Amino acid sequence: LKGSIRIIADSASHVLNILAAFRKKYPNVKVILRSGNSEEVEKALRSFNAEIGIMPNLSNKFDIGMKFIGSSNIIAFGQPDYLKPHKPILKMIDVKRLPIIFREKGSTTRQIIEEEAKKQGVQLRPIIEVEGREAMRELVASGAGIGFISEAEFINDSRVVKANLYGSNLIMNETVAFLKQRSNVRVIKNFLSFSFITFSRSSNLDIKKGIISSLFFINFSPVAKLTVGFSGINNSWALCMIAFAFAFNIGSVILIPARFSVKVIIAIL
């Protein structure tokens, strides 16, 4: 495989392990990586200015396909003067009393925080609105206020501490995104297959005695003409079946909990 692949990510931290492995597998593919918020990722994909996007999955997009690669809680962080160690969990009413630094509009983190605050009957007013995650980090570290970030993106810094937030939907689900009409482009197809295999190897699936603890659903098409079922297979075979479906785009793979075995159902197109 040769050529180049352009990737736009809301945070590079979510794709670093995938990129490192992808470069080893395909050394002749040039990777061009840039950052952007969720709106910018969508625009880049739709305007053919990127092959792959790394972004949260907030809602189904008719023209954009998404493959799950991980999730993380959204946390607050700031200097110890703002986030007291004796109060490790903050409600939105607590957050309202603090100097808030928000990312620009279009940031998914900001959207999730504002929606949760609304549920708790609180309106948050930022004292600073800044474009870009790095600028926000530096402002927070300087003592200008508190910010919000997914825990996976938090970088240990002696100037700041983190605090958990009280809420029901304060989770960031990150995905590999692509334009569906370009899903057969070779470099895109290979990256999608490779990213899923890499994620599978590093994920925390708990399969003991053939029992799977979580549900995977990978959808390639809304239409399934034939269903073939397999049961009594182990973890390795399950991952092989998923990787096969991913690589050849043959249909949908569903892993469902079974009492003493893992059942894999593949819907053939």
Side-chain angles (χ1 to χ4, degrees), residues 136-261:
M136 186 264 292
R137 277 198 184 107
E138 286 306 310
L139 277 171
V140 170
S142 72
I146 69 162
F148 308 93
I149 199 168
S150 76
E151 195 162 13
E153 298 165 355
F154 180 76
I155 298 173
N156 287 324
D157 187 322
S158 60
R159 297 172 293 175
V160 299
V161 295
K162 60 183 179 178
N164 293 323
L165 296 167
Y166 176 83
S168 57
N169 295 307
L170 295 172
I171 297 176
M172 187 79 75
N173 293 315
E174 289 293 334
T175 65
V176 175
F178 59 97
L179 204 61
K180 288 181 180 178
Q181 68 185 83
R182 301 186 69 199
S183 61
N184 286 325
V185 174
R186 189 180 176 194
V187 71
I188 295 176
K189 183 184 289 188
N190 281 36
F191 187 89
L192 291 173
S193 333
F194 195 82
S195 64
F196 180 76
I197 293 171
T198 304
F199 165 70
S200 299
R201 288 172 178 170
S202 61
S203 67
N204 59 352
L205 284 181
D206 181 22
I207 300 181
K208 296 179 180 179
K209 297 182 180 179
I211 301 174
I212 186 165
S213 62
S214 59
L215 173 68
F216 271 75
F217 179 70
I218 305 157
N219 183 39
F220 290 98
S221 170
V223 180
K225 296 180 180 178
L226 177 65
T227 298
V228 182
F230 299 86
S231 64
I233 61 176
N234 60 27
N235 185 17
S236 298
W237 274 106
L239 292 180
C240 285
M241 297 300 292
I242 296 171
F244 178 79
F246 229 104
F248 295 98
N249 201 23
I250 62 169
S252 301
V253 176
I254 307 172
L255 293 187
I256 57 176
R259 187 173 182 182
F260 296 111
S261 65

Side-chain angles (χ1 to χ4, degrees), residues 5-12 15 19 31-37 40-41 43-45 47-50 52-54:
I5 184 167
R6 297 166 298 174
I7 301 173
I8 178 170
D10 69 330
S11 175
V15 75
L19 280 182
V31 176
I32 302 168
L33 177 64
R34 63 187 179 96
S35 63
N37 63 37
E40 291 168 335
V41 172
K43 287 179 182 177
L45 293 174
S47 61
F48 296 83
N49 289 321
I52 293 293
I54 307 299

Side-chain angles (χ1 to χ4, degrees), residues 53-190:
I54 307 299
M55 61 182 289
N57 181 15
L58 284 183
S59 60
N60 292 325
K61 308 290 183 181
F62 178 76
D63 58 335
I64 294 178
M66 295 182 178
K67 306 302 174 192
F68 176 79
I69 57 171
S71 63
S72 180
N73 292 328
I74 295 176
I75 60 170
F77 73 111
Q79 288 196 345
D81 289 344
Y82 296 128
L83 301 178
K84 304 296 183 183
H86 65 270
K87 195 166 187 178
I89 300 178
L90 299 176
K91 293 184 178 181
M92 291 301 164
I93 191 64
D94 302 317
V95 171
K96 184 180 180 179
R97 300 188 183 105
L98 298 171
I100 297 169
I101 300 174
F102 267 156
R103 289 274 308 278
E104 73 282 1
K105 290 185 178 179
S107 161
T108 301
T109 305
R110 174 176 179 169
Q111 181 182 339
I112 292 173
I113 290 291
E114 289 182 323
E115 288 177 355
E116 180 59 37
K118 187 176 180 181
K119 289 179 184 177
Q120 295 185 29
V122 175
Q123 185 175 6
L124 300 180
R125 299 182 186 276
I127 61 163
I128 299 176
E129 185 176 296
V130 61
E131 185 171 341
R133 185 175 280 101
E134 295 305 320
M136 186 264 292
R137 277 198 184 107
E138 286 306 310
L139 277 171
V140 170
S142 72
I146 69 162
F148 308 93
I149 199 168
S150 76
E151 195 162 13
E153 298 165 355
F154 180 76
I155 298 173
N156 287 324
D157 187 322
S158 60
R159 297 172 293 175
V160 299
V161 295
K162 60 183 179 178
N164 293 323
L165 296 167
Y166 176 83
S168 57
N169 295 307
L170 295 172
I171 297 176
M172 187 79 75
N173 293 315
E174 289 293 334
T175 65
V176 175
F178 59 97
L179 204 61
K180 288 181 180 178
Q181 68 185 83
R182 301 186 69 199
S183 61
N184 286 325
V185 174
R186 189 180 176 194
V187 71
I188 295 176
K189 183 184 289 188
N190 281 36

